[in-house]
């Protein structure tokens, strides 16, 4: 009795020179068309997608950025959490968040549905801004002021986690953003105002 066993040692029976079956041709066309759709989505999404950050980028000296952050902090400080200032800027303000090994400063208290221009920069090495549990990620690079138009669309007490390995304390680098519903949120009344 002859048993037709294919061991893998012999080449398979060739048939590649035969014309492709209709179904195969159809699938090649479908796959190609889909590739073209995905290819077109890349530029299309860049212009039409809602995921693009409204980037304002400029060079900045880390020391100057930190100075600006401290001015901002003093101007709108409303309290503190274990020594870390809590800052409640008015809607529309330029707000500053400095990353450094291994902290985010200050704590931002924002109002839901209001727009702010968030400036991000680092004093030392690259850090990663990751808003938890919401999936928003940005590189925070020393020497660059990265401005983002942000409008918080959910209230809550959020954490900023560093998602760029930055050294021995990387895992402890956790910041905080508080978003309140507009009606209940207190705002620093005057520069230097303390609640
Ligand atoms: Cu900062 Cu990791």
């Amino acid at each position: 009795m002859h048993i037709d066993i294919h061991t893998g040692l012999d080449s398979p029976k060739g048939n590649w020179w035969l014309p492709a079956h209709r179904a195969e041709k159809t699938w090649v066309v479908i796959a190609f068309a889909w590739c073209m759709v995905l290819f077109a989505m890349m530029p299309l999404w860049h212009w039409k997608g809602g995921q693009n950050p409204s980037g304002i980028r400029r060079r900045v000296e880390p020391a100057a950025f930190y100075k600006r952050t401290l001015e901002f902090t003093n101007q709108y400080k409303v309290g503190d959490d274990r020594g870390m200032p809590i800052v409640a800027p008015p809607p529309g303000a330029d707000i500053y968040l400095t990353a450094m090994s291994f902290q985010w400063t200050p704590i931002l208290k924002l109002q839901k549905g209001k727009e702010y221009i968030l400036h991000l920069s680092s004093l030392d090495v690259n850090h990663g801004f990751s808003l938890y549990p919401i999936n928003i990620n940005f590189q925070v690079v020393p020497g660059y002021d990265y401005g983002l138009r942000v409008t918080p669309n959910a209230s809550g007490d959020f954490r900023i986690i560093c998602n760029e390995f930055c050294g021995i304390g990387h895992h402890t680098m956790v910041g905080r953003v508080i978003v309140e519903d507009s009606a209940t949120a207190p705002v620093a009344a005057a520069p230097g105002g303390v609640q």
Side-chain angles (χ1 to χ4, degrees), residues 30-45:
I30 291 171
F32 181 77
W34 186 240
C35 285
M36 289 297 107
V37 169
L38 295 178
F39 181 68
M41 286 308 274
M42 287 191 283
L44 213 72
W45 219 240

Side-chain angles (χ1 to χ4, degrees), residues 51-140:
Q51 85 287 9
N52 292 327
S54 52
I56 306 157
R57 268 147 281 190
R58 56 175 85 90
R59 283 180 176 278
V60 70
E61 281 300 315
F65 188 87
Y66 191 49
K67 189 164 168 272
R68 191 69 198 85
T69 303
L70 293 179
E71 282 167 11
F72 160 75
T73 302
N74 290 332
Q75 194 173 359
Y76 300 119
K77 187 177 169 185
V78 293
D80 75 280
D81 174 17
R82 285 161 291 175
M84 179 62 75
I86 300 174
V87 178
D94 281 81
I95 62 179
Y96 293 81
L97 185 67
T98 292
M100 65 184 97
S101 303
F102 301 98
Q103 57 171 283
W104 301 92
T105 185
I107 295 170
L108 296 170
K109 195 180 231 185
L110 308 177
Q111 295 177 41
K112 186 179 157 185
K114 299 289 162 64
E115 191 187 80
Y116 302 85
I117 298 166
L118 170 63
H119 294 266
L120 286 170
S121 194
S122 162
L123 295 191
D124 36 45
V125 295
N126 268 38
H127 296 281
F129 174 99
S130 180
L131 193 65
Y132 187 84
I134 293 166
N135 187 21
I136 298 176
N137 298 283
F138 291 103
Q139 285 281 323
V140 185

Side-chain angles (χ1 to χ4, degrees), residues 100-102 104 126-128 162-167 170-171 173:
M100 65 184 97
S101 303
F102 301 98
W104 301 92
N126 268 38
H127 296 281
C162 182
N163 64 5
E164 188 71 43
F165 183 74
C166 53
H170 162 70
H171 64 288
M173 190 167 163

